[in-house]
Amino acid sequence: MDVKNRLTELLIRLQHEEIDAFDELYSLTKKGVYISILLIIKNEHTVEDIMQETYIDFLNHKNKLKHDIDVYGYLVQSAKNKAINYWNKNKYEHEYVLSNYQDESYRLDKIIDSGLIQKIQNSLNPKEYEIFMLKVLGDYSFKEISKLKKVPIGTCTWLYQEARKKLQDKLGGIY
């Protein structure tokens, strides 16, 4: 059974109040939800808060969802929307946190503190940046990125290779 059908089956089980189905649904979707937020919000604690809000809203509205919905796409888009709303409401505070973030427990602290993510974003067009970040930070396969972004695998690999070439030229070959 493919992931999309499995997620639909889990949604139906959740609609029948089989709460144990949530663990598997979460396991199958958490990586995509996380990375979709991380591409917008660079603070791990805030990302986790938005993830939690995304899944709580999903559970609160599960009975309103139709069975033909793309559950994965719904969760990723919902997470993205929440991240954008958060960013718009808190952009000045968020920029301050990014510029002063010193928490050593954050696994991306060196990248953020050095401004590398910003340099990467400034070096690439939006499509290249998104594909590159999904591949590098999200550890997605090109097949997964293709399904997530609804573009051919060849386009994903091409955009990723173009991004790598640009970064090698502009950032001294760290990628």
Side-chain angles (χ1 to χ4, degrees):
M1 177 182 290
D2 71 347
V3 175
K4 184 176 181 177
N5 289 335
R6 182 66 183 151
L7 289 172
T8 300
E9 181 182 301
L10 293 168
L11 170 62
I12 293 167
R13 287 181 53 203
L14 282 168
Q15 289 173 334
H16 290 106
E17 301 303 325
E18 294 180 41
I19 299 303
D20 62 317
F22 178 75
D23 291 338
E24 185 178 351
L25 183 133
Y26 178 79
S27 178
L28 291 170
T29 60
K30 67 182 176 184
K31 188 166 64 167
V33 171
Y34 182 87
I35 196 69
S36 67
I37 300 167
L38 186 65
L39 288 170
I40 299 164
I41 307 294
K42 310 298 190 261
N43 178 304
E44 185 176 17
H45 301 293
T46 304
V47 171
E48 291 171 0
D49 290 345
I50 294 171
M51 273 187 77
Q52 183 177 17
E53 183 181 330
T54 299
Y55 284 105
I56 288 171
D57 281 356
F58 173 78
L59 289 173
N60 287 337
H61 295 99
K62 69 185 182 305
N63 292 326
K64 295 178 183 174
L65 301 175
K66 296 182 181 192
H67 298 165
D68 63 348
I69 189 171
D70 175 2
V71 176
Y72 185 79
Y74 175 87
L75 285 166
V76 167
Q77 189 60 52
S78 176
K80 239 173 141 175
N81 292 343
K82 289 179 186 326
I84 290 167
N85 288 342
Y86 174 85
W87 177 262
N88 287 335
K89 288 179 186 174
N90 301 289
K91 63 181 158 187
Y92 297 112
E93 177 186 326
H94 188 67
E95 288 167 358
Y96 175 80
V97 168
L98 277 178
S99 66
N100 294 296
Y101 198 72
Q102 299 297 322
D103 183 355
E104 289 300 316
S105 68
Y106 185 49
R107 65 192 171 126
L108 298 174
D109 62 341
K110 291 183 175 80
I111 293 172
I112 291 172
D113 288 344
S114 70
L116 184 56
I117 287 180
Q118 190 63 44
K119 289 176 188 173
I120 291 170
Q121 188 171 22
N122 291 340
S123 300
L124 304 174
N125 70 46
K127 287 182 180 180
E128 292 168 338
Y129 173 74
E130 194 167 16
I131 299 295
F132 183 81
M133 296 304 277
L134 287 168
K135 181 71 176 156
V136 174
L137 284 182
D139 197 29
Y140 282 97
S141 70
F142 288 118
K143 184 177 180 180
E144 292 170 318
I145 295 170
S146 172
K147 285 184 179 180
L148 178 65
K149 301 308 297 168
K150 296 179 174 56
V151 295
I153 291 176
T155 301
C156 293
T157 57
W158 183 80
L159 285 169
Y160 177 75
Q161 292 305 322
E162 287 297 306
R164 285 194 54 184
K165 287 177 197 173
K166 284 182 181 180
L167 294 174
Q168 285 174 343
D169 292 342
K170 293 183 180 186
L171 303 178
I174 57 173
Y175 289 98

